[in-house]
Amino acid sequence: MRAPAWLPMPVRRTLRVLRRYSRVLGRRFEHWSAPARRQWRRSLQLRIVALTLVASSVLVGAFGYFVAQNSARILLNRAHDEVASSMNSKVKYAQSQLSVYVTADDPTLGRTINTTVSNLADGDPAESGGSIVSLRADNFPGIVPVTSAKMSTDELITEDLRRAVSSDGKVAEQVRTAEVGGSRVKYLVYGTTVPVRFGHVELYYLVPLTTEDSAANQIRTTVLVTGLALVILLGVVAGLVTRLVVLPVRGAARTAQRLSAGLLDQRMKVDGEDDLALLAASFNQMAANLQRQIVRLEEMSRLQRRFTSDVSHELRTPLTTVRMAADLIFSEREEFDPAVARSAELLQAELDRFESLLTDLLEISRFDAGFAALDAEHTDLVPIVQRVTDRLTGLADRVGVTIELRVPEAPVIAEVDPRRVERVLRNLVGNAVEHGEGRPVQVTLASDDGAVAVTVRDHGIGLKAGEERLVFNRFWRADPSRARQTGGTGLGLSISAEDARLHGGWLEAWGAPGEGAQFRLTLPVRSGDRLLSAPLPLIPRDRAPAIEATPVAPETDAPAEVV
């Protein structure tokens, strides 16, 4: 967030510096707290124990505060009751001693006040705890205040308290703290009037609350220690209980991971007859059922692959015989009637299609059986691309399509199987020519340090949303009713995808209705390397250059070659 322009320049600079430092501190905090946040996300036991500790701390803290406050209030109320009871007797005694004086200026009144205060202090059982008795007569300046203790009581007997007692005649009380003997002591101060014949004097009784404070502190300490012990105990209990639940879940997760890795004989340990044991038994039963189903499916798949392979091989012999007879008939078609000659041509074309389908089925069966092997060698891809386009020039001319070839002038060397790469490119360019709707087809080759890529772009009918994945399925066609110029088998792209996967590469498709399609073959420069990016975008640059997320290499300076 930028600082407002109306602020002075020094203020804006200061805000920028603060914002920069806050971002740096935020990044450092995220870096330091990353292990803790990672552990928090990954550990269910940690989250449950932490939440239990927080909730129990709040509850125990609130309960402890309530108990401590009530205990302190009870102790204070008890001290109030004791002081009030003692205060009544002291008032009666002081009244009996001072009621004999008619005027406040009697010369013996001061001595009687001293004696009364001394007797009140001596007769008080709380005196050993530091209780203080004070007699004052604020309405009679001639009477000197007398206090039983040799200390200043100005902090304890405040002006407000004296005014409430002497002027208003109230029985007032307050709790005050004063410095006594080098330490702070809390006192309960009571003040009341003592009626005498010349008016009234004020009697103040100051009782230290040391015992009550000590008891309240002990209660607080006991509640605190008990609360901490209870919180720790609850955390330990939550950890143990959570462990009892989490361990079987972790075991189930590990067993599931082993099952997903192909170890179908893995099972959970069943202990007891509780819910967790029921979960483990159900999990084991599910794993056993899955194992049986997977084994059955694998057996069916093996039989299907064997059937396809056996049928394909068995069809080779009769196909060879039929091919020899068809070639002989086809070579003599000029001597036949036109209808018979046309039949011979159709027979030859369908035999070519059938032989191609049989060859593709054999190739698919090798991929399914895991017998396909990569015969990789260092190969220049430029001649391969040129050879593929040259061989498809005749087909392109028949359908009115121009093939534009964009290849670098320098060799593009990669460790690939040239036979398989040529087969993939033949399928891609052939499909582009067939579906190009008479518009140009661009074939582009580029490379970088880690990968080589070939894109085949047509401007034909395109692909609908989601069909970019379906095109690699076996026997899938975007428009089943559409006639094929090339008589394809429906297995070409599927075999091409297997060839790309055998190289450790990618074969991807993009398309939009009415805007054509683009296929991209990406292969690692060195066999066995892992692909991270492609030197050419999957989505054409003329279509949506901002959408492509993979790094794009600069276009080659070689001019486009029109084939």
Side-chain angles (χ1 to χ4, degrees):
M1 182 178 178
R2 299 179 60 87
W6 51 267
L7 289 175
M9 183 58 69
V11 176
R12 281 189 285 173
R13 289 176 179 173
T14 303
L15 291 177
R16 282 198 295 268
V17 171
L18 292 177
R19 188 165 57 251
R20 188 181 307 116
Y21 276 105
S22 64
R23 286 198 295 265
V24 172
L25 291 177
R27 286 194 294 267
R28 289 185 179 179
F29 175 76
E30 290 182 356
H31 176 71
W32 293 335
S33 62
R37 289 186 284 111
R38 190 183 308 111
Q39 187 67 22
W40 176 265
R41 290 193 304 269
R42 293 180 177 178
S43 177
L44 175 63
Q45 185 176 10
L46 175 62
R47 292 199 298 270
I48 292 178
V49 172
L51 293 176
T52 302
L53 289 176
V54 171
S56 60
S57 298
V58 172
L59 292 176
V60 171
F63 178 74
Y65 177 80
F66 175 76
V67 170
Q69 290 297 108
N70 278 351
S71 300
R73 186 166 57 253
I74 290 172
L75 292 173
L76 185 60
N77 290 337
R78 188 178 66 180
H80 273 278
D81 295 340
E82 292 177 356
V83 171
S85 176
S86 178
M87 192 70 173
N88 291 333
S89 62
K90 293 181 185 300
V91 169
K92 291 179 181 179
Y93 178 79
Q95 185 177 9
S96 64
Q97 296 296 318
L98 300 177
S99 294
V100 298
Y101 295 96
V102 178
T103 61
D105 53 358
D106 193 309
T108 61
L109 180 58
R111 185 169 57 255
T112 302
I113 291 177
N114 285 330
T115 303
T116 301
V117 169
S118 178
N119 291 336
L120 290 175
D122 291 340
D124 185 7
E127 175 62 24
S128 58
S131 299
I132 302 172
V133 177
S134 178
L135 268 175
R136 292 173 173 270
D138 290 343
N139 294 330
F140 303 97
I143 300 178
V144 179
V146 179
T147 304
S148 61
K150 304 300 182 182
M151 58 174 288
S152 175
T153 59
D154 292 339
E155 283 188 87
L156 301 175
I157 306 175
T158 61
E159 290 292 335
D160 294 337
L161 181 64
R162 290 165 54 187
R163 189 181 306 109
V165 174
S166 61
S167 301
D168 302 336
K170 296 180 180 179
V171 177
E173 62 177 274
Q174 64 181 8
V175 177
R176 299 288 295 177
T177 302
E179 187 80 21
V180 178
S183 61
R184 304 289 292 179
V185 180
K186 186 183 295 185
Y187 280 88
L188 175 60
V189 182
Y190 250 85
T192 186
T193 57
V194 178
V196 293
R197 297 177 65 181
F198 57 82
H200 68 264
V201 295
E202 298 87 47
L203 175 63
Y204 297 95
Y205 187 31
L206 296 78
V207 179
L209 299 177
T210 306
T211 303
E212 287 75 8
D213 274 352
S214 177
N217 290 333
Q218 289 180 357
I219 292 173
R220 293 190 187 96
T221 303
T222 303
V223 170
L224 178 61
V225 173
T226 305
L228 288 176
L230 182 60
V231 169
I232 294 174
L233 180 62
L234 287 174
V236 173
V237 171
L240 293 176
V241 173
T242 308
R243 182 180 177 82
L244 293 176
V245 178
V246 169
L247 285 181
V249 175
R250 289 177 180 172
R254 288 192 295 267
T255 305
Q257 290 174 351
R258 296 190 186 102
L259 288 173
S260 64
L263 303 176
L264 301 179
D265 59 341
Q266 296 295 311
R267 298 293 184 269
M268 290 183 62
K269 185 179 180 181
V270 180
D271 291 329
E273 299 178 356
D274 54 7
D275 294 335
L276 294 176
L278 179 61
L279 172 64
S282 302
F283 185 91
N284 291 340
Q285 183 179 2
M286 178 191 68
N289 293 335
L290 287 176
Q291 183 179 15
R292 286 195 296 269
Q293 292 292 333
I294 291 174
V295 170
R296 187 172 65 86
L297 291 174
E298 287 179 348
E299 181 66 19
M300 292 176 59
S301 178
R302 185 183 65 82
L303 292 175
Q304 182 181 7
R305 290 195 300 268
R306 182 176 178 181
F307 173 78
T308 303
S309 178
D310 292 345
V311 169
S312 300
H313 282 88
E314 291 298 328
L315 287 176
R316 277 293 182 184
T317 300
L319 178 62
T320 303
T321 304
V322 174
R323 165 62 71 183
M324 292 173 60
D327 289 343
L328 180 59
I329 296 172
F330 185 75
S331 63
E332 301 292 336
R333 69 184 184 281
E334 299 295 338
E335 301 177 3
F336 300 152
D337 293 335
V340 178
R342 178 57 180 164
S343 299
E345 293 174 356
L346 292 176
L347 177 61
Q348 186 74 9
E350 290 303 318
L351 278 175
D352 291 339
R353 177 178 171 79
F354 183 65
E355 189 172 13
S356 177
L357 174 61
L358 192 58
T359 302
D360 290 344
L361 286 174
L362 286 172
E363 188 68 23
I364 284 291
S365 67
R366 281 193 288 270
F367 279 118
D368 290 341
F371 294 149
L374 188 68
D375 188 12
E377 59 185 43
H378 289 85
T379 307
D380 184 5
L381 296 182
V382 174
I384 295 178
V385 176
Q386 292 174 342
R387 185 164 59 249
V388 169
T389 55
D390 290 340
R391 290 179 178 178
L392 292 173
T393 302
L395 173 63
D397 292 339
R398 287 197 303 271
V399 297
V401 172
T402 302
I403 301 178
E404 299 177 359
L405 185 62
R406 295 183 173 92
V407 295
E409 294 180 352
V412 177
I413 307 298
E415 193 175 353
V416 297
D417 187 338
R419 180 181 64 86
R420 295 183 183 275
V421 172
E422 184 173 349
R423 180 168 60 187
V424 173
L425 295 178
R426 189 166 59 248
N427 279 320
L428 296 181
V429 178
N431 286 340
V433 170
E434 178 188 351
H435 298 88
E437 300 293 326
R439 300 184 181 92
V441 172
Q442 290 91 27
V443 181
T444 306
L445 172 64
S447 65
D448 58 18
D449 293 337
V452 295
V454 180
T455 59
V456 180
R457 170 81 159 106
D458 67 75
H459 300 81
I461 59 176
L463 297 173
K464 298 178 182 178
E467 291 184 347
E468 66 273 3
R469 296 181 180 88
L470 298 177
V471 292
F472 301 108
N473 293 344
R474 298 174 184 179
F475 301 107
W476 185 87
R477 294 177 63 180
D479 186 4
S481 63
R482 189 176 187 274
R484 293 180 180 270
Q485 297 287 342
T486 58
T489 63
L491 294 174
L493 288 179
S494 178
I495 295 175
S496 299
E498 294 291 345
D499 284 333
R501 193 176 298 112
L502 194 62
H503 281 84
W506 306 329
L507 182 57
E508 303 159 284
W510 168 88
E515 299 185 26
Q518 177 163 291
F519 287 78
R520 180 179 67 180
L521 173 65
T522 310
L523 302 175
V525 172
R526 290 167 293 276
S527 179
D529 286 358
R530 182 182 178 185
L531 286 178
L532 299 177
S533 62
L536 289 174
L538 175 60
I539 302 177
R541 293 188 180 93
D542 59 354
R543 172 61 171 77
I547 300 179
E548 177 62 31
T550 56
V552 178
E555 293 187 6
T556 177
D557 295 333
E561 177 184 350
V562 180
V563 180

